[in-house]
Amino acid sequence: MSTIVRPDSLGGALAALAEGARPRAGGVEQAAPGAVVDLTGVADLRGIGPNADGTVRIGAMTTVAALAGLDSHPALALTAGALGTPQIRGTATVGGNLLQRTRCAYLRSPVFSCARSGGMGCPSREGDHLHGVVFDSGVCAAPHPSSLAVALLAHDARVEVVGPSGARTLPIADLYDAVDPVRDHRLSPDEILVAVTLPAGIPGDRVAHRRAAGRSRAEWPLVEAVVRLSPNPDGTVERAAVAVGAVARVPLRLPEVETALVGAVPGAPPGPEVDAALAEVVARCSPLPGSRYKVELVRATLTDVIGRALSP
């Protein structure tokens, strides 16, 4: 049985974490035995609001459903609206989605042991890794499952973290660890992800999102991609952000594709430099035997979102 602590302030939540309790928010994931900090009563963790400098702050306890109406940052809104089911979007929180545990049957089963559960190795590598990584770092074979992290990468978001030593902010990419097989993120057990901050939205951004999955509803993505194209005054692409998920231990930006898209003309087909950049991405892939099919799925998904972002 779990002992549940229900603080009404951030300080109370940090005090409970310091005593070894674990945070829970929307309650989508199953709680493990032991003390649990229920964050639902901490009002400071909720809500979406503009800052004086034009940035947008999103509390970590804000639901995924609330993001689907965020018109100022359409890539994030599209991604949030496609996540799970209406019931999940109405319950799951931003912080919970960013910090969720890896999807792996071996990790969650008491029958198997791996580096993530205190043992050694990765039984998925010799077993079922159909949903595994395509960019293999040689450690855990399970890709990071957060959809919101992919969109937040494309929006250059930062996260605010609070712990015993105070607050710190870091780029969303630095929240994750591609090397350590034990960690889904870099937060220490006594820290709380408080909020996400988005740069001011850019009017005229062209965006597209694609969640390639085995079925159209309520399924984990096999490959996920977000494209955000910011315009020059003449309408050509001044800056591109391209992010992919469900393919590596961490969500990834694809700089070669971003560079190739600069100068692209909306309404016209992507140029040969984009095809060359996609070929570079494919060449960088190092799939496991069971996830080789994902390599072509990465190319096809990226081709689709780029085409839709550039469409008239």
Side-chain angles (χ1 to χ4, degrees), residues 26-90:
V28 173
E29 290 200 8
Q30 182 178 0
V36 171
V37 181
D38 180 356
L39 298 175
T40 56
V42 183
D44 290 344
L45 299 179
R46 295 186 180 277
I48 302 173
N51 295 318
D53 59 0
T55 60
V56 175
R57 185 180 187 273
I58 303 169
M61 281 291 297
T62 304
T63 65
V64 173
L67 300 183
L70 194 60
D71 295 337
S72 60
H73 295 79
L76 179 58
L78 283 174
T79 304
L83 192 157
T85 64
Q87 293 85 354
I88 290 174
R89 293 192 293 272

Side-chain angles (χ1 to χ4, degrees), residues 90-146:
T91 302
T93 62
V94 173
N97 185 270
L98 294 177
L99 303 180
Q100 64 186 294
R101 298 209 78 187
T102 301
R103 178 197 181 200
C104 177
Y106 296 97
L107 171 63
R108 296 171 187 266
S109 170
V111 177
F112 295 93
S113 176
C114 68
R116 297 285 313 284
S117 60
M120 296 182 64
C122 175
S124 179
R125 290 180 172 274
E126 291 74 42
D128 181 5
H129 49 259
L130 186 67
H131 300 95
V133 296
V134 179
F135 299 90
D136 186 13
S137 60
V139 288
C140 178
H144 198 277
S146 176

Side-chain angles (χ1 to χ4, degrees), residues 112-264:
F112 295 93
S113 176
C114 68
R116 297 285 313 284
S117 60
M120 296 182 64
C122 175
S124 179
R125 290 180 172 274
E126 291 74 42
D128 181 5
H129 49 259
L130 186 67
H131 300 95
V133 296
V134 179
F135 299 90
D136 186 13
S137 60
V139 288
C140 178
H144 198 277
S146 176
S147 293
L148 296 186
V150 181
L152 291 171
L153 267 181
H155 277 298
D156 298 310
R158 297 181 67 85
V159 296
E160 178 185 345
V161 176
V162 174
S165 58
R168 61 189 177 105
T169 64
L170 59 154
I172 185 73
D174 291 349
L175 184 62
Y176 301 111
D177 193 328
V179 177
D180 189 341
V182 176
R183 306 175 74 181
D184 285 312
H185 53 77
R186 287 175 167 160
L187 267 61
S188 63
D190 55 0
E191 288 185 309
I192 295 176
L193 194 156
V194 173
V196 173
T197 300
L198 295 164
I202 299 175
D205 266 3
R206 289 173 164 268
V207 304
H209 165 262
R210 177 68 184 270
R211 184 182 178 92
R215 58 186 179 184
S216 62
R217 296 289 184 272
E219 181 60 278
W220 296 88
L222 301 171
V223 174
E224 191 156 22
V226 171
V227 171
R228 184 170 69 91
L229 307 178
S230 301
N232 281 306
D234 65 0
T236 59
V237 175
E238 178 183 26
R239 181 181 179 278
V242 180
V244 291
V247 294
R249 279 286 295 147
V250 298
L252 298 175
R253 287 277 291 265
L254 300 177
E256 60 268 71
V257 182
E258 295 174 348
T259 299
L261 283 167
V262 172

Side-chain angles (χ1 to χ4, degrees), residues 229 237 256-280 299 302-303 306-307 310-311:
L229 307 178
V237 175
E256 60 268 71
V257 182
E258 295 174 348
T259 299
L261 283 167
V262 172
V265 180
E273 60 275 8
V274 175
D275 290 335
L278 293 177
E280 287 183 41
R299 186 204 296 267
L302 288 168
T303 300
I306 291 169
L310 288 172
S311 64

Side-chain angles (χ1 to χ4, degrees), residues 275-297:
D275 290 335
L278 293 177
E280 287 183 41
V281 172
V282 168
R284 284 203 289 120
C285 290
S286 52
L288 300 169
S291 64
R292 286 186 184 133
Y293 73 96
K294 278 193 177 187
V295 175
E296 185 52 38
L297 191 56

